[in-house]
Amino acid sequence: PHQPGEQEHHRRAQDVDGAPADAAPSALLPGVADTHVHFPADYKASFRQYMTMDFPDAKQVRHFYANPVAIQAAKESLSLPDGAMILVEVYDAKLDDKGGPVRGSDGYFAPGSLRGYAAMERQAGWGDALPDMLRNENWNYAPFTAERVVRSGFNQATCFACHKPRPEESHLFTLKELRTYAQDQSRP
């Protein structure tokens, strides 16, 4: 049974800014839903791992990598420019017989099976077709399966919305760690 006002709520949920739900999709939708990011096949040779992070609630460990463009900008304390790419390996943690994550010799959760990857990359013009309310300069995002294929049904809108409030950090949650790594690597 519907509650009073529930029909009005459903009707409003189907309308966006007064447009009926059966209206033509926005011309901006492909720019938000589709990604330009391709998996960097050579990342193990050309990128550098700059940090590892445990995700206890998910029982995961993630390894963060940056390409040379990102590392150079971080070394110089600059914003990350077009050409920068960050790739994250996402692993299920190895579990003990009680279901708790096992720690590796580095103090982080020991990686078990690879779940997939997350990537963010920016290139000139990639932000042009995006609505300003979501645009993160020229960044695009993509989650990849363990087989290095973009996950089906992926829509970048969630990534754009989450990273949008971080323009001072190049829309990156780990810029401080990347800068520390890059600057430490340049010291004798």
Side-chain angles (χ1 to χ4, degrees):
H2 292 299
Q3 298 297 319
E6 190 172 339
Q7 283 184 316
E8 177 65 13
H9 170 76
H10 285 292
R11 187 192 64 73
R12 286 185 184 178
Q14 293 173 351
D15 295 349
V16 178
D17 295 332
D22 60 355
S26 166
L28 298 174
L29 183 61
V32 174
D34 297 336
T35 183
H36 294 285
V37 178
H38 295 282
F39 193 89
D42 68 339
Y43 84 95
K44 285 285 193 176
S46 61
F47 287 37
R48 296 293 170 254
Q49 183 180 345
Y50 67 93
M51 71 176 285
T52 298
M53 185 182 293
D54 290 336
F55 285 75
D57 291 344
K59 295 182 181 179
Q60 294 177 348
V61 61
R62 299 180 188 178
H63 299 176
F64 292 73
Y65 292 81
N67 74 352
V69 173
I71 290 172
Q72 185 61 39
K75 177 181 172 182
E76 297 172 17
S77 293
L78 300 173
S79 293
L80 300 189
D82 291 341
M85 185 173 193
I86 305 296
L87 182 76
V88 182
E89 297 173 334
V90 181
Y91 292 92
D92 285 324
K94 288 184 181 177
L95 303 178
D96 61 23
D97 56 357
K98 295 179 184 174
V102 173
R103 296 244 175 230
S105 60
D106 60 2
Y108 293 100
F109 294 164
S113 61
L114 178 67
R115 290 187 60 87
Y117 305 86
M120 58 187 290
E121 179 180 7
R122 60 175 291 160
Q123 296 293 342
W126 281 9
D128 294 351
L130 298 170
D132 190 51
M133 69 181 289
L134 290 176
R135 184 179 305 123
N136 295 183
E137 298 170 355
N138 284 321
W139 288 104
N140 267 210
Y141 304 87
F144 293 91
T145 65
E147 294 76 30
R148 302 178 175 189
V149 175
V150 174
R151 290 195 185 278
S152 66
F154 170 65
N155 182 322
Q156 297 186 85
T158 303
C159 300
F160 287 131
C162 192
H163 288 260
K164 177 75 175 173
R166 305 188 69 83
E168 294 82 21
E169 294 91 14
S170 292
H171 300 281
L172 187 64
F173 287 91
T174 59
L175 183 61
K176 178 183 174 188
E177 292 82 358
L178 177 57
R179 284 183 174 160
T180 298
Y181 169 84
Q183 292 166 1
D184 285 351
Q185 296 305 304
S186 65
R187 294 190 181 109

